[in-house]
Amino acid sequence: MASEIGAAENALNEPQARHVVYCGVCTLPPEYCEFGGTAKKCKEWLETNHPDLHEKLYSEEAVAATLSTLSLEAQKRAAKDSQKKEAKAAAAEAKAAETKAQAQILIKRVERNKRKYVTAVSGLEAHGMDLKKVAKEWGKKFATGSSVTKTASGGEEVVVQGDNSDEIFDWVVDVAGVPEANVDCIEDKKKKAT
């Protein structure tokens, strides 16, 4: 009986593993989200997924308690810094949305031999697509070879064997959600040697 009590006391004295919550937006613990560039999104995520922790960190009392420990100058600097961070994050978000709206996806049907075609698609990375995953998915969908290749201009494009330009156009518009105005289909023909 004494050995059972000793074992129970040892179990209580051993350090227990802590459960740490990580932010779904910036992958930092919520206490450190303010130091990342996405504090507003992190705050919204925390409010929907962990309301108790959100209340603990961002309630009126918690904010007032942390600000009361600072001097007046430090409080002014903190307010100014937070406004700058929010403005910078909003500007970066607006710029990313603008570049995404202007980014064009080019679907080129290139003739290899007399009746053999290759479809090359460039500009997918601007819309946040992983080129390798897209190439693999298209290879399975169209039952052809598909790969990511480097272009002469230094970018990357997905090359699919066969004339799949119409199906790829439909996939980009329907599945990826890219507006039709941002997708162009081009047909390249190799010139005959004279």
Side-chain angles (χ1 to χ4, degrees):
M1 176 126 171
S3 63
E4 291 177 9
I5 294 173
E9 286 180 10
N10 286 339
L12 291 175
N13 292 338
E14 289 183 19
Q16 299 294 318
R18 288 184 175 232
H19 175 69
V20 179
V21 176
Y22 290 100
C23 178
V25 178
C26 67
T27 68
L28 292 172
E31 295 86 7
Y32 298 101
C33 284
E34 64 184 284
F35 301 111
T38 58
K40 189 174 181 182
K41 287 182 181 178
C42 294
K43 191 173 179 181
E44 292 169 359
W45 179 88
L46 191 65
E47 188 174 12
T48 57
N49 294 321
H50 297 283
D52 54 334
L53 193 56
H54 179 269
E55 182 67 26
K56 179 182 170 188
L57 294 173
Y58 296 109
S59 67
E60 301 258 341
E61 299 87 30
V63 172
T66 55
L67 285 177
S68 67
T69 60
L70 300 174
S71 66
L72 288 175
E73 288 180 23
Q75 287 180 6
K76 289 178 184 176
R77 270 191 308 230
K80 198 173 184 182
D81 288 346
S82 67
Q83 287 175 350
K84 280 184 182 178
K85 282 185 180 180
E86 287 177 12
K88 192 174 182 180
E93 196 173 298
K95 186 177 180 181
E98 183 180 328
T99 56
K100 186 175 179 179
Q102 292 178 352
Q104 289 285 357
I105 294 179
L106 296 175
I107 302 173
K108 289 188 270 183
R109 188 179 90 165
V110 182
E111 185 177 352
R112 282 188 334 167
N113 291 342
K114 291 179 184 175
R115 291 185 350 211
K116 305 274 184 178
Y117 292 96
V118 172
T119 306
V121 184
S122 61
L124 294 172
E125 64 275 349
H127 291 276
M129 293 183 233
D130 184 14
L131 296 181
K132 289 185 178 182
K133 288 182 181 177
V134 170
K136 188 169 187 175
E137 184 175 340
W138 286 349
K140 289 178 182 177
K141 181 178 176 79
F142 305 127
T144 62
S146 179
S147 64
V148 178
T149 59
K150 293 193 184 275
T151 60
S153 62
E156 290 185 331
E157 66 183 4
V158 178
V159 178
V160 181
Q161 292 178 359
D163 180 15
N164 298 307
S165 55
D166 294 335
E167 292 88 355
I168 290 175
F169 180 86
D170 294 339
W171 186 91
V172 167
V173 172
D174 296 338
V175 177
V178 177
E180 284 188 34
N182 291 11
V183 183
D184 287 336
C185 289
I186 301 170
E187 184 172 344
D188 284 353
K189 288 188 177 182
K190 287 190 175 181
K191 296 178 182 175
K192 291 183 179 179
T194 55

